Amino acid sequence: MKALPVEPSAAPVAIGSRIRAARQSQRLTIEHVADATGLTKGFLSRVERDLTSPSVASLVTLCQVLSVSIGDLFAVPETHLTRAGEGPRISLGGEGIVERLLTARSERRLQILAATIEPYGSGESELYAVDCDVDVLHIISGELTLIMTQDSYDLKAGDTLSFPGREPHSWENRSATPVEALWILVPAASGSAG
């Protein structure tokens, strides 16, 4: 089997900002780290600004003092991009609504749904609850009424309403203007949302 001839990259890996973030998260000054590692403040400052690369020995010492693994400094961050209008569609009931999932399907910490609600569109006629701890509704454009057991809230563009996720609710667009809104669920709802 022939190995793929991948050329090594001469570009230095930028780890300085991660080292600085680790130091700051522990409320340590460069002076504290210099004292603990035996490295100079000037050298540490240049490392944090990616102006110089530490030796392996210095890096090991630095990681021990900052309680981070060397692997974490070089890890590629897990990202998920959803372009406008491209998230997978979700059908959660209601009339005149299109909802798209903006976060990764595998994301469990939170879930963000983009909703486009037609004029006079409405949620279920019976109040329903979502299986999450916090439900946040943010209105991007238009006006939407959120109906709860005791109250209803008339929300306009820029308004954000947070409420307990398992609180029964529904919604109505009582106007002739479409609504663009975001539902943010923490943690991600199991099976349903919005």
Short mmCIF file of all heavy atoms in Angstrom, two decimals, residues 138-144 156-158 177-181:
data_model
loop_
_atom_site.label_atom_id
_atom_site.label_comp_id
_atom_site.label_asym_id
_atom_site.label_seq_id
_atom_site.Cartn_x
_atom_site.Cartn_y
_atom_site.Cartn_z
N HIS A 138 -37.89 34.18 20.37
CA HIS A 138 -37.39 35.49 19.95
C HIS A 138 -38.04 35.86 18.62
O HIS A 138 -37.98 35.07 17.67
CB HIS A 138 -35.87 35.47 19.81
CG HIS A 138 -35.33 36.76 19.27
ND1 HIS A 138 -35.24 37.89 20.04
CD2 HIS A 138 -34.90 37.11 18.03
CE1 HIS A 138 -34.76 38.89 19.29
NE2 HIS A 138 -34.55 38.43 18.07
N ILE A 139 -38.65 37.03 18.56
CA ILE A 139 -39.32 37.48 17.35
C ILE A 139 -38.34 38.32 16.52
O ILE A 139 -37.83 39.34 16.99
CB ILE A 139 -40.58 38.32 17.68
CG1 ILE A 139 -41.50 37.58 18.66
CG2 ILE A 139 -41.32 38.70 16.40
CD1 ILE A 139 -42.00 36.23 18.20
N ILE A 140 -38.08 37.88 15.30
CA ILE A 140 -37.19 38.61 14.40
C ILE A 140 -37.98 39.68 13.65
O ILE A 140 -37.56 40.83 13.56
CB ILE A 140 -36.51 37.64 13.41
CG1 ILE A 140 -35.64 36.63 14.18
CG2 ILE A 140 -35.69 38.40 12.37
CD1 ILE A 140 -35.15 35.47 13.36
N SER A 141 -39.14 39.29 13.11
CA SER A 141 -39.99 40.27 12.43
C SER A 141 -41.45 39.85 12.57
O SER A 141 -41.74 38.68 12.76
CB SER A 141 -39.60 40.38 10.95
OG SER A 141 -39.83 39.15 10.28
N GLY A 142 -42.33 40.83 12.48
CA GLY A 142 -43.76 40.56 12.64
C GLY A 142 -44.18 40.60 14.10
O GLY A 142 -43.41 41.03 14.96
N GLU A 143 -45.41 40.14 14.34
CA GLU A 143 -45.97 40.13 15.71
C GLU A 143 -46.61 38.77 15.95
O GLU A 143 -47.30 38.24 15.08
CB GLU A 143 -47.02 41.22 15.87
CG GLU A 143 -46.45 42.62 15.69
CD GLU A 143 -47.50 43.72 15.85
OE1 GLU A 143 -48.62 43.41 16.31
OE2 GLU A 143 -47.19 44.87 15.51
N LEU A 144 -46.37 38.23 17.14
CA LEU A 144 -46.89 36.91 17.48
C LEU A 144 -47.43 36.94 18.90
O LEU A 144 -46.86 37.58 19.77
CB LEU A 144 -45.76 35.86 17.38
CG LEU A 144 -46.19 34.40 17.48
CD1 LEU A 144 -46.96 33.97 16.23
CD2 LEU A 144 -44.96 33.50 17.64
N LYS A 156 -43.51 41.61 19.70
CA LYS A 156 -43.17 42.32 18.47
C LYS A 156 -41.71 42.04 18.11
O LYS A 156 -40.97 41.49 18.93
CB LYS A 156 -43.37 43.83 18.67
CG LYS A 156 -44.81 44.25 18.89
CD LYS A 156 -44.89 45.75 19.13
CE LYS A 156 -46.30 46.28 19.18
NZ LYS A 156 -47.27 45.53 19.89
N ALA A 157 -41.31 42.46 16.92
CA ALA A 157 -39.94 42.27 16.46
C ALA A 157 -38.95 42.75 17.52
O ALA A 157 -39.10 43.84 18.06
CB ALA A 157 -39.72 43.02 15.15
N GLY A 158 -37.98 41.91 17.85
CA GLY A 158 -36.97 42.24 18.85
C GLY A 158 -37.31 41.74 20.24
O GLY A 158 -36.44 41.69 21.11
N THR A 177 -49.42 39.96 8.45
CA THR A 177 -47.98 40.00 8.16
C THR A 177 -47.33 38.70 8.61
O THR A 177 -47.60 38.22 9.72
CB THR A 177 -47.33 41.17 8.93
OG1 THR A 177 -48.07 42.36 8.66
CG2 THR A 177 -45.89 41.36 8.54
N PRO A 178 -46.45 38.11 7.80
CA PRO A 178 -45.73 36.90 8.25
C PRO A 178 -44.82 37.21 9.44
O PRO A 178 -44.43 38.36 9.65
CB PRO A 178 -44.89 36.49 7.03
CG PRO A 178 -45.31 37.36 5.91
CD PRO A 178 -46.07 38.52 6.46
N VAL A 179 -44.51 36.18 10.20
CA VAL A 179 -43.64 36.30 11.37
C VAL A 179 -42.40 35.44 11.13
O VAL A 179 -42.50 34.31 10.67
CB VAL A 179 -44.36 35.81 12.65
CG1 VAL A 179 -43.41 35.79 13.84
CG2 VAL A 179 -45.57 36.67 12.95
N GLU A 180 -41.24 36.00 11.46
CA GLU A 180 -39.99 35.24 11.51
C GLU A 180 -39.60 35.18 12.99
O GLU A 180 -39.54 36.23 13.65
CB GLU A 180 -38.87 35.93 10.72
CG GLU A 180 -39.11 35.99 9.23
CD GLU A 180 -39.01 34.64 8.53
OE1 GLU A 180 -38.23 33.78 9.02
OE2 GLU A 180 -39.69 34.44 7.52
N ALA A 181 -39.37 33.98 13.49
CA ALA A 181 -39.07 33.83 14.91
C ALA A 181 -38.05 32.72 15.12
O ALA A 181 -37.84 31.87 14.24
CB ALA A 181 -40.34 33.52 15.69
#
